Amino acid sequence: MKSKMLFQGNKPGMINELLDKLFGNEDKPNDGSPKNIKHSPNDIGELLSLYHDQNHLVTAMIMNLGKRKIAKLSTGILSVDSAALRFTTDEFIPSDLPELLGDGTKVQFSLTHHGVRHQFDSIHIQALPSDSGTHHVFQFPKGIEQIQLRDAFRVKLSQAHPIKVTLTHATNPAITGTLADLSSSGMRIRIDGLVTPKPVRGEIYSSCHLVLSDGQPVVGGARLMHWQYDPDLRISFLGVHFENLDGTTQRALNRFLTDLQRKQRLTG
């Protein structure tokens, strides 16, 4: 009942602020950011399969008939049917808002992959109750727009001199790996073997700790945005978004990345 009242209220600014605290506020593209739109069904199917294979956390904005955003949710893609031009998502979080997802409802999906924002609109076809919650079937979008985020360029880190990363969870064992790439807003971590228990997209790590090669410690919280296990290499990759970095740490991280990019351009 509380959730229903939340989205029927007349204070959209307050609602968006609360939702951002729940699901995080994704990087937003700056004006003039380079854009690329994929229209081919084959390209769209490949991108949707990528989001599925890498267990991406996907933000979903439900739109009403006036194209106004009335709810901000999160989910993940469960399956892709390229022949039928349909895809199925996991249960939406919050999960108690079925009245907002009727047949024909437009949903605006978005996620960030390697410093590029992917976004697309899809039409809801049907809800499928299951033991793991209600799944949702959508039409393929007409196009998927990709926008380079100017403040999220990622720098690859050499594994010759690995930087150790530790993620601490409230209930699960700590995870230790090495830094694969880094941006001002997050990083990708390389971990030997399969992480157990299996990671859950969107979950929060209470502490993320690493020491950059210049001696600067980076300590804060982190949210899991995507993860993938490569059975051939027997390596897991976790993509996390930094949470609650203090200003001093953020500025030091930005300086480190700028210096690293400059060095890589000189040697590359």
Side-chain angles (χ1 to χ4, degrees):
M1 186 67 181
K2 287 184 179 179
S3 295
K4 188 172 182 180
M5 292 175 63
L6 173 67
F7 290 105
Q8 290 180 345
N10 57 2
K11 297 182 179 180
M14 183 179 296
I15 291 172
N16 289 337
E17 183 179 348
L18 290 171
L19 288 166
D20 283 340
K21 289 181 180 179
L22 284 171
F23 303 116
N25 191 7
E26 287 188 310
D27 297 304
K28 292 184 174 66
N30 294 342
D31 292 339
S33 298
K35 298 180 182 180
N36 178 30
I37 302 178
K38 301 292 186 183
H39 292 290
S40 162
N42 289 337
D43 290 340
I44 290 171
E46 288 179 1
L47 286 173
L48 292 172
S49 296
L50 171 71
Y51 312 151
H52 166 266
D53 294 343
Q54 295 196 8
N55 296 283
H56 264 282
L57 180 70
V58 182
T59 297
M61 302 294 295
I62 299 180
M63 318 292 282
N64 66 9
L65 293 178
K67 297 183 179 180
R68 291 180 58 192
K69 299 174 183 178
I70 57 175
K72 182 178 180 180
L73 313 174
S74 66
T75 187
I77 293 179
L78 282 179
S79 63
V80 179
D81 187 339
S82 294
L85 301 181
R86 296 182 175 187
F87 67 95
T88 303
T89 72
D90 204 349
E91 183 174 48
F92 283 82
I93 301 173
S95 60
D96 55 348
L97 300 169
E99 70 277 7
L100 297 179
L101 275 170
D103 295 350
T105 300
K106 179 184 286 188
V107 177
Q108 185 181 87
F109 293 98
S110 63
L111 61 105
T112 300
H113 178 74
H114 291 178
V116 177
R117 181 181 178 86
H118 295 223
Q119 57 190 35
F120 54 94
D121 294 344
S122 293
I123 301 299
H124 185 262
I125 298 175
Q126 67 177 129
L128 300 173
S130 74
D131 293 339
S132 60
T134 302
H135 301 163
H136 297 274
V137 182
F138 288 87
Q139 294 177 3
F140 264 29
K142 294 181 179 179
I144 296 181
E145 185 176 36
Q146 298 168 288
I147 307 172
Q148 175 66 57
L149 299 170
R150 293 189 182 278
D151 296 330
F153 285 109
R154 292 192 169 264
V155 177
K156 291 185 177 181
L157 277 298
S158 170
Q159 295 302 303
H161 303 285
I163 295 175
K164 181 179 177 182
V165 181
T166 301
L167 297 174
T168 303
H169 194 277
T171 56
N172 297 333
I175 298 172
T176 300
T178 57
L179 201 56
D181 59 51
L182 180 68
S183 78
S184 61
S185 60
M187 61 183 170
R188 195 163 59 104
I189 306 164
R190 173 190 173 113
I191 301 161
D192 291 334
L194 180 63
V195 177
T196 54
K198 187 169 74 172
V200 178
R201 56 180 175 258
E203 67 182 343
I204 293 292
Y205 295 100
S206 54
S207 176
C208 165
H209 181 272
L210 65 147
V211 178
L212 301 175
S213 56
D214 62 1
Q216 170 66 41
V218 176
V219 181
R223 179 185 298 273
L224 181 63
M225 304 306 291
H226 58 86
W227 69 273
Q228 181 183 29
Y229 174 66
D230 188 322
D232 295 327
L233 298 176
R234 297 182 181 178
I235 292 173
S236 297
F237 291 96
L238 271 61
V240 303
H241 187 277
F242 293 130
E243 304 253 320
N244 304 317
L245 290 185
D246 63 62
T248 301
T249 301
Q250 187 68 68
R251 288 189 292 273
L253 177 58
N254 292 344
R255 286 195 299 270
F256 175 82
L257 287 166
T258 300
D259 186 54
L260 195 58
Q261 284 179 308
R262 181 180 59 81
K263 290 179 180 177
Q264 290 186 354
R265 283 196 296 268
L266 290 174
T267 58

